[in-house]
């Protein structure tokens, strides 16, 4: 009998730092790596007697996110106090939304959204200890610059079923938030943070297993790595007849391992109650309309447009649209040419570009301008340069920038065509050099054409167009 | 001259300054000297210099409507660079970098800071015996309490150590000490005065209020306290200017007497009840009608209050953790032990009691039964008042069921102490304004008469209180009572 197959069930909790000018409840400007404790005031330091005042811009951003995710907007939502003692929490409570969040329901792609709510970020702790954690630290310091930064928390339904799906979906969410312009959504810098609730169940069943909460997976790679490790651990436990214990696990990027947080840290009763210092948040129809009007085209809609209007295959359309910087670059290149550049041909040149500049780099930051990529693609389409040679030109462009036509000219990479006379002679030489292959092709075995084309390419240093070479071989062998 | 100055009410002193008959520097110095010689423990800090006068050129009445009449401020109001300790050892010596909005507004209007007054720690108490800096004594009888929690402010005004003062009222903390010290105390509508800079006890209840020798002074001070503050989201623009009261009768005014508060259940002392009945007679004489009214849920107000206020306090006081300011007791062991040692050493027993009560009331599994029920009772009480105000202009009660009691008399019995607030707690739960005025003496000790009105009815409340005050003719000076041959006006 086969061992039971297990299916992961994953829900994500995402914290997004909003890119407002000032903090959630005070007038301090947000911080970008300044000296510690310079963006502080009596309010965000939690000095006695101070009161929070809600940042209207953060509410606007929260509404934009809710609308972009297709959520229902609460006409009246409420802030609560979440009580616990920790040095990064100057008031001894975090102001957050609890039972009446700003937005509920909705979906992004195939994943349903449970809720979206507003809250404030904690300050940053720096521990002088080997582990970087508070236990056993000789000294700990608090930097309140980050304290009070506006956060939106997005909680999904448990609709994700693999680590890869989680990673891809988070990528889609990141692009969506990026086009909204509401956050830097940078996982390294913590402006995008993702926790995962992971459980497994026998494949095909509909129940939910005991879940664990995974924290601190601060990159897309770690997210996938952490979920995979946890799924494997849970399946291992169940196969061994053991039980999964509900707990919070901390991902250690250095070891790639998950360790349980000490239960003392977790034994929280947050004693939520309505924040008496703030009146309920009323989202007026005007506020909702203003947020709706501020929505740009979202990645999912953009992918559809690429498919429908530009004829891109679905995969390529998603690949571009779900990374806003790629889609922006693509559309700029398309517009730069001005003439009838084939969008599909252009789109096919984005992956080779990404391969050369590194998958995490925004092509707009590279030396290859959208116009020069468009120029290169146009040279290829006009058969003025072969695909193989164009790849070399692209490598040059990535390294040094410049104009593709000029590089082709300088390096003598222009396509050798029949018209020049030269190509037909090289083909004839190839047939003469490998009569065996020539015979096989003539007899109808087209697989044998490879060595002949290879010969021509070697001789021309890749400047010949593959299609043209094939045509000439067939012609000279009398295959018409 | 100094005695004559002290005889003036704050409004009279301001008028004298405006008329050029009184030098504001001399006025300040007179009170500064008296405050510095305080023997009641009413002050925790007294200013050591006379503030600069108002800018020259403008008429004093416009540039300084409060005429430079110095102000005593309850310790829990933050005052920039000046100790603001909320009566607690955990904040001993704490000097905030900013001033409370109300203090700032009053200073701008010409009421400079004279000193900081003693109070029950974090405003938790009805006798001032819970101060981390020792109890305040009642100027009418120094063996007795001044009431609380704004006991220092009340005692300072009653003893002539300040022309006027501000305090805060959460469950009666302005009105009850005003009653026990024979002065006027007003708790405004919730939201009328900014709470920014008031070290919070119970955020949904706390309001700043004036403690003054008479109703006119209360109106004048309140005029410059109210108004929306962008730094307090719960503050509101007062819908009309605060008027100085002039009304001399109560014709057409309907007073409701709630049996639930004034009847046998309230435990009102005989002398207090007599004074209350006499005041009702005077009100009838001025043209008012007096009828029983119903506040069916009012007897539950105290229970609801002692869940809601401690629950909010348990969160409000979490920031006193030794990390950033105030007391820190660091054993060097770990974070949790620093927290618990700091808080064990810094908070007094009543504060600890209420933090534990509030923490318990909010705990998972108990929230609905305690905090949730208390919120529902609170809603019912507000509805009771709304119904009552359909038939009555004001609800009236004795402010406190008792006159000032002896120091230590109720310390061992917190529940008996809490009963002090029986008549004053329902109003803050409903967010409505109420004023206490002295109605006479019982066995030589002042008795307070309380009027409560609908939200933002302060002008009408002050007008009615003024008419009654004239009819009662109470002399608010304990010194003169004790020594009738002394300094007469
Ligand atoms: Zn701040």
């Amino acid at each position: 009998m086969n061992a039971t197959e297990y299916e992961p069930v994953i829900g994500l909790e995402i914290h997004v730092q909003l890119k407002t000018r000032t903090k959630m409840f005070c007038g301090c400007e947000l911080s970008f790596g300044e000296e510690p404790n310079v963006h502080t005031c009596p309010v965000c330091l939690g000095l006695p007697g101070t009161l929070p005042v809600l940042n209207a811009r953060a509410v606007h951003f929260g509404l934009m996110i809710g609308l972009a995710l297709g959520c229902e907007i609460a006409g009246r939502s409420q802030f609560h106090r979440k009580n616990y003692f920790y040095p990064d929490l100057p008031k001894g409570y975090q102001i957050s939304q609890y039972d009446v969040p700003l937005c509920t329901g909705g979906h992004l792609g195939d994943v349903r959204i449970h809720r979206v709510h507003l809250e404030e970020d904690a300050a940053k702790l720096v521990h002088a200890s080997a582990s970087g954690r508070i236990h056993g630290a000789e000294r700990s310091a608090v930097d309140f610059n980050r304290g009070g930064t506006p956060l939106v928390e997005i909680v999904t339904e448990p609709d994700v079923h693999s680590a890869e799906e989680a990673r891809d979906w988070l990528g889609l969410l990141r692009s969506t938030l990026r086009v909204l312009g509401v956050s830097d959504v940078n996982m390294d810098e913590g402006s995008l943070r993702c926790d995962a609730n992971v459980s497994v169940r026998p494949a095909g069943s509909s129940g939910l297993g005991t879940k664990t909460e995974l924290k601190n997976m601060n990159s897309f790679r770690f997210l996938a790595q952490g979920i995979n490790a946890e799924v494997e651990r849970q399946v291992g436990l169940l196969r061994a007849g053991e039980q999964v214990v509900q707990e919070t696990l901390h991902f250690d990027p250095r070891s790639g391992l998950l360790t349980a947080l000490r239960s003392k840290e977790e034994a929280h009763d947050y004693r939520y109650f309505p924040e008496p210092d703030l009146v309920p948040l009323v989202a007026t129809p005007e506020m909702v309309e203003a947020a709706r009007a501020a929505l740009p085209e979202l990645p999912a809609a953009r992918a559809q447009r690429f498919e429908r209007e530009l004829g891109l295959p679905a995969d390529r359309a998603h690949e571009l649209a779900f990374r806003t910087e790629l889609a922006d670059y693509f559309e700029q290149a398309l517009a730069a040419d001005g003439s009838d550049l084939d969008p599909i041909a252009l789109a096919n040149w984005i992956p080779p570009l990404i391969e050369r500049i590194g998958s995490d780099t925004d092509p707009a930051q590279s030396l290859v301008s959208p116009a020069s990529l468009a120029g290169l693609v146009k040279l290829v389409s006009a058969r003025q340069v072969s695909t193989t040679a164009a790849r070399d030109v692209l490598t040059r462009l990535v390294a040094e920038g410049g104009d593709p036509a000029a590089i082709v000219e300088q390096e003598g990479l222009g396509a050798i065509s029949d018209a020049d006379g030269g190509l037909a002679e090289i083909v004839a030489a190839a047939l003469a050099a490998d009569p065996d292959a020539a015979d096989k092709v003539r007899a109808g075995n087209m697989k044998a054409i490879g060595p002949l084309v290879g010969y021509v390419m070697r001789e021309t240093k890749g400047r010949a167009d593959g299609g043209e070479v094939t045509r000439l071989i067939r012609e000279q062998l009398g295959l018409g | 001259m100094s005695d004559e100055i002290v005889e003036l009410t704050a409004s009279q002193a301001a008028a004298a300054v405006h008329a050029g008959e009184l030098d504001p520097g001399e006025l300040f110095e007179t009170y500064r000297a008296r405050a510095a010689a305080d023997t009641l423990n009413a002050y925790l800090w007294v200013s050591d210099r006379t503030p600069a006068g108002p800018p020259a050129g403008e008429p004093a009445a416009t540039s300084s409507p409060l005429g430079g009449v110095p102000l005593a401020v309850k310790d829990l109001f933050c005052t920039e660079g000046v100790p603001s300790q909320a009566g607690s050892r955990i904040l001993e010596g704490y000097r905030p970098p900013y001033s409370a909005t109300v203090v700032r507004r009053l200073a701008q209007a010409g009421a400079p800071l004279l000193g900081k007054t003693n109070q029950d720690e974090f405003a938790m108490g009805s006798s001032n015996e819970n101060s981390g800096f020792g109890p305040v004594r009642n100027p009418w009888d120094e063996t007795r309490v001044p009431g609380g929690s704004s006991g220092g402010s009340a005692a300072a005004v009653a003893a002539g150590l300040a022309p006027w003062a501000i305090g805060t009222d959460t469950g009666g903390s302005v009105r009850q000490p005003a009653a026990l010290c024979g002065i006027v105390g007003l708790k405004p509508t919730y939201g009328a005065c900014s709470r920014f800079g008031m070290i919070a006890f119970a955020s949904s209840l706390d309001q700043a209020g004036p403690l003054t020798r008479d109703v006119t002074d209360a109106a004048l001070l309140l005029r410059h306290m109210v108004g929306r503050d962008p730094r307090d989201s719960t503050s509101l623009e007062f819908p009309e200017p605060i008027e100085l009261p002039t009304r001399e009768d109560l014709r057409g005014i309907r007073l409701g007497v709630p049996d639930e508060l004034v009847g046998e259940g309230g435990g009102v002392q005989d002398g207090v009840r007599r004074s209350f009945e006499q005041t009702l007679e005077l009100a009838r004489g001025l043209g008012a009608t007096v009828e029983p009214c119903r506040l069916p849920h009012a007897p539950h107000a105290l229970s609801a209050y002692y869940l809601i206020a401690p629950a909010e306090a348990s969160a409000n006081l979490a920031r006193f953790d030794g990390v950033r300011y105030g007391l820190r007791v660091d054993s060097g062991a770990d974070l949790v032990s620093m927290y618990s040692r700091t808080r064990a050493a810094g908070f007094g027993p009543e504060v600890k009691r209420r933090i534990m009560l509030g923490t318990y009331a909010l705990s998972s599994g108990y929230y609905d039964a305690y905090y949730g029920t208390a919120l529902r009772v609170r809603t019912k009480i507000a509805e009771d008042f709304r119904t009552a105000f359909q038939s009555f202009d004001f609800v009236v009660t004795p402010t406190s069921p008792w006159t000032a009691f002896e120091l230590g008399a109720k310390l061992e019995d917190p529940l008996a102490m809490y009963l002090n607030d029986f008549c004053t707690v329902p109003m803050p739960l409903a967010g409505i304004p109420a004023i206490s005025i002295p109605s006479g003496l019982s066995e030589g000790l002042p008795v307070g008469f309380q009027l409560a009105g609908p939200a933002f009815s302060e002008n009408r409340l002050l007008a009615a209180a003024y008419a009654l005050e004239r009819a009662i003719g109470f002399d608010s000076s304990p010194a003169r009572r004790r020594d009738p041959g002394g300094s007469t006006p």
Side-chain angles (χ1 to χ4, degrees), chain A residues 23 26-28 39-41 43-44:
Chain A
K23 292 185 180 181
C26 68
C28 290
H39 291 292
T40 62
C41 72
V43 176
C44 59

Side-chain angles (χ1 to χ4, degrees), chain A residues 2-61:
Chain A
N2 289 333
T4 317
E5 287 301 318
Y6 287 94
E7 169 193 44
V9 178
I10 302 159
L12 301 177
E13 284 182 27
I14 301 99
H15 285 91
V16 184
Q17 277 185 348
L18 298 180
K19 210 164 60 175
T20 48
R21 190 177 62 79
T22 56
K23 292 185 180 181
M24 190 64 156
F25 297 115
C26 68
C28 290
E29 291 192 4
L30 298 195
S31 185
F32 298 95
E34 286 92 342
E35 288 288 290
N37 295 311
V38 291
H39 291 292
T40 62
C41 72
V43 176
C44 59
L45 288 175
L47 296 194
T50 55
L51 299 171
V53 176
L54 182 58
N55 182 332
R57 189 84 186 146
V59 175
H60 177 69
F61 283 172

Side-chain angles (χ1 to χ4, degrees), chain B residues 338-353:
Chain B
M338 183 195 80
Y339 283 157
S340 53
R341 282 162 193 259
T342 298
R343 291 164 67 82
F347 290 140
E350 181 63 23
V351 171
K352 288 175 187 162
R353 189 150 43 230

